[in-house]
Amino acid sequence: MMNGNLKNAPHLKAQSNAPFSEIIALIGSEAWEAWGSGENKGKGIEWGLIKSSFKLEDYDKPLILGTKELAKVDNLRLTQENTDLIRFCVFGELAEAQKSAVLLNVAINSGVNKVIFCDSLGQQTDDCSDYVARLRADEEAQQRAAEHAKLAEVADAPKTTPYIEYREVNNIKGLFFIKPKLDEKTGEILREEQQWICSNVDLIGQGKNEQGEYYYLFQWKNPDERESRLEAVHLADFGTEAGWKQLKGKGLKMTQGQGLIGKLTEYFHNLSMNTQCNYKITKLAGWQNGAYLLPSGEMIGEPTRPIFFTEKSGADLGYTVSGTLESWQREIANNVKGNPSMMIGVAVALAAPMLAILGKDSFGVHLFAESSKGKSTTLHIANSIYGNPDKLKLSWSTTAVGIKNEATARNDGFITLDEIGQAKDVKNLEAIAYDLFNETGKLQGKKEGGNREINRWKVSALSTGEKDLETQLRLQGSKVHAGQLVRLLNIPLEEAKELHQFNNNKAHADHLNEMVLEHFGAVGREWISYLSEHKEEVRETYKTIRKKWLDLASNMSGQVQRVAGDRFAILETALQMAKNLTLWSEEDNGQAMMKNFLNWKEDFGENSREETSIIDGLINWLLINESSFIEYPADPNAKTPLKIAGVRVLADEAKNEKEYYFIYPKVFKEAIDGFSAKMALNILFNAGIVKKPQKTESGYEFMFKIPKKMLGKTPRAYKITPFLDDDNNQEAE
C-alpha cells in the first residue's frame, strides 16, 4: 500500500517501524510553533504537554504537518509500513478540506487501523478510524474526498471575497470577519478590514439524540481552564439568541453585532457540510455505546462512537475519587464484613449497573429501625461505592418530579433516599415510592405541537427510615399498594454485631462515617470496568443463583418467589461477582443475603401481600362492625342497627355449629377496602373464610340466599366464617 513516489513528512524517519507502532503528529497552522523554533526547537510548551499526556521520552519526535505541508499533503508519506495508530494533535487552524486531504492520504497510502484527532492537550475529539476504513473500500467515497481535498491545495491562496478565519490581531485571538479591499484595475488586495467575531471555536462534529434530533458540537478553550470545553447546540437553536446564549454562558466570548453573527452562522453551516455526524447525544447516563457514562459525564471505557451527555445529575460533583480500591477495602469493606444490613446496602449499590445487563426492572431496599442503629452509616457506605457520600445522598423530603429527573440523570445507577419520615407531603411519598420504579416519566405535550421526550431510567435504590413504608403511608393517611412492597423491599435493619477491632457500636460507626469521606469512588469504577468485560459471566452466575432462590421459595406465594428469584438473586449475584473487590467470601455473601431475606419474609409474610391484606382487613372490619349485623337467633332486647350489613348467625354449641356471617354484597365491597371483589372472593375462599353453595348460579357463584326465617325475606349474601377451622371449604347446604 506504500507509495514509493511520496516524500517523507517531517520527522517521519524518526518514527518507529515496529509492529503495531503509534505515531504522534502535530497538525494545523500552529503545528511548528507548538514544536518550538530556534533554540527552543523541540522544547515548545505545547509539545511538552503532549509528551506528558502520552508519556513520551525526551528523544521522541512528532510528525509535523504545518500550513506548508498541508498544502501539498497528497505528496507526503505520513506513516511507516507497520504503523497501526496515528494521533493528530491540532494546533491553530485546520480547515475541513485539509483534514479531508490528510484522511484520504492515510486511507490510500497506509495500512493504519486507528486514526484519532485530538485537541492541543492530547484529549480525543474525533475517531476517524471507521471513516478511513470506508474510504479504502469505496472508490466513490475516495473521489468525493479527493474533490473536497483539492480545496486544501489552495488554502493559502489570496482570498478576494469576504471570509471568516482564525487570526491574532493586536494580541486579540479568535475568529475574524475579513473583508479584502481590492485595486479596481489590477484586482490586487490593497488592505483588509478585520472585525473580531468571537473566541476561537471549532465545529468538531454533529450528532443525533434518541429522537433523531440534530446537534452541532463546538469546542473551545477558556483562558482560565486547563481542558477544552465541549458543548452541543440543538440545530433548531443554532443561529438564534438561545443558541448563542448557551455558548456564551459556557465562556465563549462574542461580539454583539447581528450582521457578523449572521455571517458566523453561515460559516458554521458551510463547515457542517463536510463534518461527520459522529456523536450520540443523550440525556441518559449509564451504558452507552459499549461504555459507561457516570452522571458527572465521566466515561468509563471506550465508546464505539463519541457521546455527548446533555444533562448531568444534580449531585454530579459527588462522582469523584478519593483514596484507592485497597484503602476502601482496608478501612471500609473489612469493617462491614459480617454485618448483613451494611452488606445489603453495598449489594444494592453494586446491583445498579447490573440491571441492564440482566434485563431486570428497577427496585430498591428500605431499611427501617429506630434511631442510632446505623441507618445513615449504612447509606454512607453504599454511596462510597461511586463517590463522595455527602454529595451523593438524597432525601425523601424532595419532590417526586425532582427524584424522577435525578433518576434519569443516574440511569443504570444508584440512588439513596434518607429518612422516609421527612416526606411530609403524602402525595410525594406515594409517587416516589411507586413511580421511581416505573422507569418512565409522564407523557407531556409541547406548546409547538407533538410530545416532549419521555424521561426513562433504570436504577436501584436504598432507602432508610424509622418506620417501614407501609406504616409511614398509613400514618399519613394513605393506603399502601402491594406493588410498592415488592418494588421497595421493607427489611428491618440489624445493628452491627461484628465490630472487628472496635469496642462498641459507636466507635465502629464513627470509624466508618469518617473513613467513607476519605475513601470513595474507586471501587465503583473498578466494578463497572469489570462488568463491561464480564457481562456473559454475570448472566450465567445470576441464572445459577436464581435457581437456588426459586427452589428456596417454591412453597411460598408468587410474590415471595418473585422477590426471591429476582431481587435477592440479583443482590447475591452482585456480591458474589464483586468478591474480589470487597474481599468477602462466597459464604459471607450468601449468609448475609439469607439473613436479610428471612428478615424481609418475616415482615412481609409467606403469602402474597394482597392475601394478607384482604384476610386481615376483612376480619378486622367484622370485629369493628359487629353491631351492624342483625343477630340470629334474635335477642328480643337488642336494638336494630341503623345500617344493616347482614346477619350474624351465632354459634350453636348443641349442634356444634360455629358462628358465621351473611354479608350483603355492597357492604362486602366496603369491607375489602378497594380490592377487586373477584380477587378477594377467590383468596378468601381458598383460605376457608368465604363459603360456596353446593349448587351455584351463573353470576352468583359465591352467594347464598339468606334463609327466610332469619329476616323474613331471602336476599343474596356472602357467607363468611372468620374463625378458621379444619372444615372442608366446600360446604353443602
Side-chain angles (χ1 to χ4, degrees):
M1 183 170 287
M2 303 297 287
N3 188 334
N5 296 322
L6 300 178
K7 294 182 180 180
N8 289 338
H11 297 175
L12 179 61
K13 287 186 177 181
Q15 308 304 314
S16 170
N17 193 29
F20 305 106
S21 56
E22 174 181 347
I23 288 179
I24 303 296
L26 310 185
I27 188 171
S29 60
E30 298 179 14
W32 285 102
E33 288 85 345
W35 166 245
S37 58
E39 294 181 358
N40 290 321
K41 185 178 292 185
K43 299 179 182 179
I45 295 174
E46 293 87 349
W47 168 239
L49 293 173
I50 292 295
K51 280 200 305 183
S52 175
S53 178
F54 293 111
K55 299 179 181 179
L56 302 177
E57 302 294 341
D58 288 339
Y59 54 76
D60 286 321
K61 289 184 178 182
L63 197 76
I64 301 182
L65 299 176
T67 302
K68 179 181 176 182
E69 290 77 24
L70 287 169
K72 301 295 181 182
V73 73
D74 58 328
N75 293 320
L76 295 180
R77 182 180 295 108
L78 305 182
T79 65
Q80 296 282 21
E81 187 174 356
N82 292 316
T83 304
D84 184 66
L85 165 64
I86 184 166
R87 298 182 192 270
F88 292 101
C89 301
V90 179
F91 292 89
E93 282 293 292
L94 178 67
E96 283 298 318
Q98 293 169 323
K99 184 176 179 181
S100 292
V102 170
L103 293 174
L104 181 62
N105 182 312
V106 172
I108 295 175
N109 299 313
S110 81
V112 168
N113 291 314
K114 294 278 288 182
V115 182
I116 306 293
F117 276 81
C118 304
D119 61 18
S120 58
L121 296 175
Q123 300 294 314
Q124 179 176 323
T125 59
D126 194 4
D127 186 343
C128 299
S129 307
D130 290 343
Y131 176 69
V132 169
R134 289 198 300 272
L135 279 180
R136 286 195 184 116
D138 189 340
E139 291 185 2
E140 289 186 9
Q142 289 180 25
Q143 185 175 355
R144 290 194 300 271
E147 291 173 357
H148 184 225
K150 286 180 181 178
L151 298 174
E153 299 176 7
V154 295
D156 292 334
K159 298 176 182 177
T160 57
T161 57
Y163 59 95
I164 292 174
E165 73 173 16
Y166 171 82
R167 286 191 179 183
E168 181 176 353
V169 180
N170 298 327
N171 294 322
I172 298 175
K173 299 179 180 180
L175 295 182
F176 283 77
F177 179 68
I178 313 299
K179 189 174 182 180
K181 293 295 183 179
L182 308 179
D183 186 296
E184 293 182 359
K185 294 181 179 179
T186 65
E188 180 184 356
I189 297 175
L190 301 176
R191 67 183 186 279
E192 293 177 333
E193 291 182 0
Q194 304 175 117
Q195 292 178 278
W196 179 84
I197 304 178
C198 65
S199 308
N200 189 28
V201 57
D202 294 315
L203 176 66
I204 66 164
Q206 299 185 71
K208 284 195 296 187
N209 63 14
E210 289 87 348
Q211 285 67 49
E213 298 171 333
Y214 283 82
Y215 289 75
Y216 281 164
L217 277 295
F218 293 98
Q219 186 174 52
W220 72 96
K221 190 174 183 302
N222 292 324
D224 62 325
E225 296 179 336
R226 179 176 174 81
E227 295 187 2
S228 296
R229 284 268 184 169
L230 181 63
E231 190 70 15
V233 179
H234 199 292
L235 198 55
D237 292 332
F238 182 68
T240 70
E241 179 57 30
W244 297 126
K245 186 176 181 180
Q246 178 184 343
L247 293 174
K248 289 188 285 187
K250 299 296 184 178
L252 186 72
K253 295 179 174 59
M254 301 186 67
T255 185
Q256 297 299 315
Q258 291 300 317
L260 291 178
I261 296 301
K263 298 291 185 183
L264 188 64
T265 301
E266 293 176 7
Y267 170 73
F268 282 120
H269 277 320
N270 287 332
L271 285 182
S272 72
M273 301 299 180
N274 296 295
T275 303
Q276 295 183 64
C277 187
N278 54 343
Y279 275 80
K280 178 180 181 180
I281 311 296
T282 183
K283 64 192 293 186
L284 286 178
W287 298 108
Q288 299 284 351
N289 290 356
Y292 187 94
L293 190 63
L294 283 173
S296 60
E298 177 186 345
M299 189 76 66
I300 301 176
E302 287 291 331
T304 54
R305 55 183 285 218
I307 296 170
F308 185 86
F309 184 40
T310 59
E311 296 190 21
K312 293 183 179 180
S313 159
D316 65 288
L317 295 179
Y319 289 91
T320 53
V321 176
S322 178
T324 63
L325 170 62
E326 291 73 23
S327 67
W328 185 87
Q329 291 170 335
R330 181 180 64 252
E331 301 296 344
I332 299 173
N334 187 51
N335 290 296
V336 168
K337 179 182 177 180
N339 294 302
S341 292
M342 290 180 173
M343 290 176 72
I344 200 174
V346 171
V348 177
L350 293 173
M354 276 178 34
L355 296 177
I357 295 172
L358 295 174
K360 295 298 180 181
D361 295 334
S362 301
F363 75 96
V365 168
H366 175 69
L367 298 174
F368 64 95
E370 59 192 53
S371 298
S372 304
K373 295 297 183 182
K375 298 190 298 294
S376 294
T377 302
T378 300
L379 216 65
H380 289 328
I381 292 166
N383 272 324
S384 76
I385 300 289
Y386 298 108
N388 187 325
D390 269 353
K391 296 180 179 179
L392 292 183
K393 67 180 180 181
L394 302 174
S395 169
W396 277 96
S397 63
T398 188
T399 66
V401 172
I403 285 294
K404 286 186 279 190
N405 288 339
E406 190 64 19
T408 303
R410 297 196 193 192
N411 179 55
D412 292 333
F414 176 55
I415 283 181
T416 56
L417 295 169
D418 195 15
E419 193 45 64
I420 198 171
Q422 293 180 2
K424 303 302 182 185
D425 185 340
V426 68
K427 290 185 178 179
N428 273 320
L429 174 60
E430 286 182 304
I432 293 171
Y434 196 79
D435 293 348
L436 176 60
F437 306 109
N438 274 342
E439 302 185 346
T440 57
K442 290 184 178 179
L443 182 65
Q444 295 179 319
K446 295 180 180 178
K447 290 182 180 179
E448 61 272 25
N451 293 322
R452 297 182 186 277
E453 178 186 353
I454 298 175
N455 285 350
R456 300 183 187 278
W457 62 83
K458 190 179 288 291
V459 295
S460 67
L462 182 65
S463 162
T464 63
E466 293 190 6
K467 297 177 175 61
D468 63 277
L469 174 63
E470 186 171 11
T471 301
Q472 190 66 44
L473 283 168
R474 285 179 174 160
L475 284 174
Q476 294 184 227
S478 181
K479 179 185 173 184
V480 69
H481 299 281
Q484 291 169 320
L485 300 181
V486 294
R487 295 179 178 201
L488 184 62
L489 308 180
N490 288 273
I491 303 178
L493 181 140
E494 288 191 1
E495 190 173 19
K497 294 184 175 62
E498 291 292 337
L499 304 182
H500 302 280
Q501 73 268 33
F502 300 97
N503 294 326
N504 53 58
N505 284 93
K506 184 179 185 304
H508 180 247
D510 287 347
H511 172 81
L512 287 169
N513 285 324
E514 180 181 347
M515 289 299 101
V516 293
L517 298 180
E518 297 180 17
H519 310 278
F520 55 76
V523 63
R525 286 155 177 79
E526 292 284 348
W527 172 236
I528 291 168
S529 296
Y530 178 82
L531 288 178
S532 67
E533 298 174 1
H534 296 83
K535 292 181 180 179
E536 192 55 41
E537 186 179 344
V538 169
R539 298 184 186 103
E540 291 303 317
T541 301
Y542 169 70
K543 287 180 184 178
T544 301
I545 292 176
R546 183 172 189 266
K547 185 178 185 305
K548 179 190 76 172
W549 281 98
L550 289 177
D551 289 344
L552 174 72
S554 59
N555 295 323
M556 303 174 194
S557 72
Q559 283 184 345
V560 175
Q561 290 181 43
R562 178 185 173 192
V563 169
D566 283 356
R567 316 305 192 217
F568 279 96
I570 290 171
L571 293 172
E572 185 177 345
T573 300
L575 287 188
Q576 301 296 18
M577 293 295 295
K579 62 181 182 292
N580 292 331
L581 300 178
T582 62
L583 303 183
W584 301 336
S585 70
E586 290 189 12
E587 184 179 3
D588 291 331
N589 295 329
Q591 288 178 352
M593 288 304 99
M594 181 57 66
K595 179 61 176 171
N596 280 289
F597 174 72
L598 293 175
N599 288 343
W600 170 79
K601 187 169 68 68
E602 183 177 351
D603 179 73
F604 185 88
E606 291 192 10
N607 295 322
S608 75
R609 204 61 176 186
E610 289 89 351
E611 291 173 350
T612 304
S613 297
I614 288 170
I615 293 170
D616 291 347
L618 177 65
I619 292 174
N620 290 332
W621 189 92
L622 289 172
L623 292 172
I624 294 169
N625 293 279
E626 281 185 348
S627 60
S628 296
F629 289 84
I630 296 174
E631 291 187 353
Y632 180 84
D635 180 352
N637 298 317
K639 294 181 179 180
T640 303
L642 293 176
K643 179 182 177 182
I644 300 175
V647 178
R648 178 186 179 190
V649 181
L650 301 177
D652 188 336
E653 294 182 2
K655 296 181 179 179
N656 197 27
E657 293 179 351
K658 295 188 176 182
E659 179 179 309
Y660 60 91
Y661 293 79
F662 285 114
I663 183 171
Y664 295 143
K666 184 176 180 180
V667 179
F668 177 77
K669 289 183 179 179
E670 176 187 328
I672 60 176
D673 194 21
F675 285 100
S676 159
K678 183 177 180 180
M679 178 178 70
L681 288 166
N682 281 311
I683 288 173
L684 293 167
F685 175 71
N686 291 330
I689 295 173
V690 164
K691 305 300 180 180
K692 247 185 186 181
Q694 190 173 24
K695 295 180 180 179
T696 60
E697 298 178 51
S698 178
Y700 301 97
E701 286 82 2
F702 289 97
M703 288 191 188
F704 290 79
K705 289 183 178 179
I706 299 176
K708 190 172 183 178
K709 62 183 179 181
M710 295 182 181
L711 288 176
K713 52 185 178 179
T714 58
R716 297 182 189 274
Y718 298 117
K719 188 174 183 179
I720 306 291
T721 304
F723 309 107
L724 300 181
D725 53 34
D726 295 328
D727 292 346
N728 192 296
N729 289 347
Q730 296 284 350
E731 178 175 301
E733 189 174 67

